Amino acid sequence: MEAIKYTAGKLTLLDQTLLPNRVEYKEFDNYRDVVKAIKTMQVRGAPAIGVTAAYALVLAALEFRELGSSEFKQKMAVASKELADSRPTAVNLFWAIERMKKIWQAENLTNGEIFETMEREAQAIQAEDLAMNETMGEIGQELIAPNSTILTHCNAGALATAGFGTALGVIRAAFEKGKVKRVFADETRPLLQGARLTAYELMEDGIPVTLITDNMAGYCMQQGWIDCIIVGADRIAANGDVANKIGTYGLAVLAKFHKIPFYVAAPYSTFDLSIKSGQEIPIEERKHDEVRKIGDYWIAPEKVEAINPAFDVTPHSLITAIITDKGLIKADFQENIKRVLGYGY
Ligand code: MRU
């Protein structure tokens, strides 16, 4: 399942807002429309947003390549800022924008050379993401005992990445080894990524999946049905605190109470070592109508007050291990993140 495709100046995205009812790809030839696609979550998931932003900047470089060098750089800075402002929590977005910036800021290249180098870099980012997910799958599946039932939240699968997935990548790898009995997928209100995307993705792969509403997770743990929990991440602070889809924190607290291992799977591009703890992670507040409605249908009085934080922060003390492409990270997180990712990062 490929959510992001690029060929010769055209970016094609699988419109995730339409899944599972319609599988529809949309073509993009300018970065402004890609910014809208990220904001409206036609493309979503931390690594997928990063890859998409890289390609959006390739489209910008193509659009502006005939301009003089200084105007070209000004326009590229504006495009980068618009992309950076699209969603605030997933650090992969900023990581990819920075990687591309190193190229378009170069003084010794023509605009044409910049465009070509950026195109190769975006393709490299996409290929690296897929490879990192496969590595995480291999590393993470070691943690899964035979005959496991695994709970996951939101969608951290192929759709959220360049392919294979982070949390779902580990599940896929464990399933290939015959270790996964069943996956429980939280529906993940308000935008239902678990119901719409994770259930769809796992069914496409023939992995047994049971859909639950978010408020059933505690019951399932209490019944002894869940052997471990694996989720993705949008940003991980230097001390190991993890921002992920709203509801992740509640799951981690429940997991601690029920003595169920709680794993986070994320590539190195999801770590933000510039921030000390999760308290510094900006949490996106989305439109309140997403809570008052399901799709186009009002499920609450139109004028009722609501809040809509899209993410929450799980303190590292609730996490059993973080599965990364560079290896497994356990407590002491502060120390081991630096050691596993390398001090230079
Ligand atoms: O709002 P979303 O759908 O972009 O949120 C996605 C998540 O929270 C995922 O768990 C996270 O990005 C990891 S995806 C590999």
Side-chain angles (χ1 to χ4, degrees), residues 119-168:
E119 197 175 49
R120 282 197 298 276
E121 185 73 347
Q123 284 162 334
I125 289 174
Q126 185 174 19
E128 278 168 31
D129 188 63
L130 176 59
M132 290 193 291
N133 290 338
E134 286 167 351
T135 306
M136 274 187 283
E138 205 35 57
I139 294 171
Q141 63 81 21
E142 299 273 353
L143 298 167
I144 311 300
N147 212 28
S148 284
T149 296
I150 304 169
L151 180 89
T152 190
H153 190 61
C154 194
N155 173 267
L159 292 166
T161 62
F164 203 62
T166 57
L168 291 195

Side-chain angles (χ1 to χ4, degrees), residues 41 44-47 49 87 153-157 160-161 166 193 232-234 244-245 311:
M41 294 175 61
R44 32 67 51 201
I49 296 171
R87 295 197 73 190
H153 190 61
C154 194
N155 173 267
T161 62
T166 57
Q193 289 94 328
D234 284 81
N244 190 49
K245 179 54 56 195
F311 302 94

